[in-house]
Amino acid sequence: MTARIGVVTFPGTLDDRDTRRAVRVAGAEAVPLWHRDKDLKQVDAVVLPGGFSYGDYLRAGAISRFSPVMESVIAQAKDGMPVLGICNGFQVLTETHLLPGAMLRNESLHFVCREQKLRVENADTAWTTDYTAGQEISVPLKNIDGRYVADARTLDMLEAEGRVAFRYLARGEAADGYGNPNGSLRDIAGITNEAGNVVGLMPHPEHAVEPLIGTGRTDGLGFFTSILKKLVNA
């Protein structure tokens, strides 16, 4: 049976088609989900892709959090369904409190678009098992509200429980894709919930799944092959 992975489209979503393509490249069936529809069409997992849902009015992801589809996503995620939030999707996950913390305007106050070096910190989530802890990968990043923040107690909890999934690599020069691009606390690029089924990150793995497009690398493909293997072996 082919795994079915839903990809949600909100008004202002930009990367839904790229994400559906990444799902297909990995070997799963990509199922379009519209934000006004509560029906998840019996998908096995959901991706909230990047973009500027509702124009990022109020706060990035703040309005999308109340879309009818999110009522179903929240309920299913709490029951263990795998959910991946990429960029704006990560912002939506923090607004729903499926993931702790918040996303603020980049420290530079500028939009950042570049290839970004990351270190995989947690290779045990539903979306990261095809990586190894400590592995360095490179995927595109593009955001203006990408600064991850949380209070010290929450940050300490994430660190202690191994819930920092990805971290920006601090060594090297920014021009080479190194460094913290947005001022995220403790260089956090992505986190997971306690159960490991919900993951959010700011960089865009869906733009790095084929050698002929995006960065010319396939470092992002592991997200989609990881979830496919989990679903097939479940």
Side-chain angles (χ1 to χ4, degrees):
M1 183 177 68
T2 303
R4 291 164 50 84
I5 300 179
V7 180
V8 178
T9 298
F10 300 99
T13 295
L14 301 178
D15 298 304
D16 45 349
R17 286 186 292 181
D18 301 73
T19 304
R20 291 198 299 269
R21 180 172 180 80
V23 168
R24 292 194 297 268
V25 169
E29 178 184 354
V31 180
L33 299 175
W34 183 234
H35 75 111
R36 295 187 65 181
D37 191 352
K38 290 185 179 181
D39 182 9
L40 296 185
K41 301 180 181 179
Q42 297 182 316
V43 297
D44 303 299
V46 167
V47 181
L48 306 177
F52 300 91
S53 60
Y54 290 94
D56 280 350
Y57 290 116
L58 299 183
R59 289 185 311 276
I63 300 177
S64 295
R65 178 260 178 274
F66 295 101
S67 290
V69 73
M70 289 308 300
E71 181 179 330
S72 301
V73 171
I74 293 168
Q76 292 294 317
K78 289 180 178 179
D79 283 340
M81 184 181 71
V83 177
L84 175 65
I86 303 171
C87 195
N88 191 236
F90 185 13
Q91 295 160 345
V92 174
L93 289 177
T94 62
E95 291 290 334
T96 62
H97 304 297
L98 286 173
L99 292 176
M103 311 303 302
L104 299 182
R105 186 60 51 95
N106 292 347
E107 198 169 50
S108 67
L109 303 182
H110 292 291
F111 181 83
V112 176
C113 182
R114 73 186 201 190
E115 188 172 348
Q116 180 66 48
K117 300 291 196 304
L118 305 174
R119 183 172 62 248
V120 180
E121 302 282 26
N122 186 333
D124 296 323
T125 79
W127 299 91
T128 59
T129 55
D130 266 1
Y131 297 106
T132 57
Q135 182 177 349
E136 297 181 5
I137 64 174
S138 182
V139 295
L141 175 137
K142 48 180 185 175
N143 63 66
I144 193 169
D145 295 297
R147 178 160 57 104
Y148 180 76
V149 298
D151 60 67
R153 181 178 180 180
T154 298
L155 292 170
D156 289 342
M157 176 267 293
L158 291 173
E159 300 278 12
E161 296 180 1
R163 290 172 54 187
V164 176
F166 297 90
R167 215 181 296 266
Y168 299 114
L169 284 176
R171 61 180 177 80
E173 300 295 330
D176 297 324
Y178 291 98
N180 186 328
N182 42 43
S184 290
L185 297 181
R186 303 194 187 181
D187 297 326
I188 292 174
I191 61 175
T192 179
N193 68 341
E194 186 175 5
N197 64 303
V198 179
V199 171
L201 79 161
M202 287 310 296
H204 288 260
E206 78 280 11
H207 294 324
V209 297
E210 295 181 290
L212 294 179
I213 60 174
T215 62
R217 303 166 63 104
T218 60
D219 291 11
L221 186 59
F223 284 84
F224 305 98
T225 56
S226 292
I227 192 59
L228 178 59
K229 291 178 181 177
K230 177 177 176 58
L231 295 173
V232 169
N233 294 328

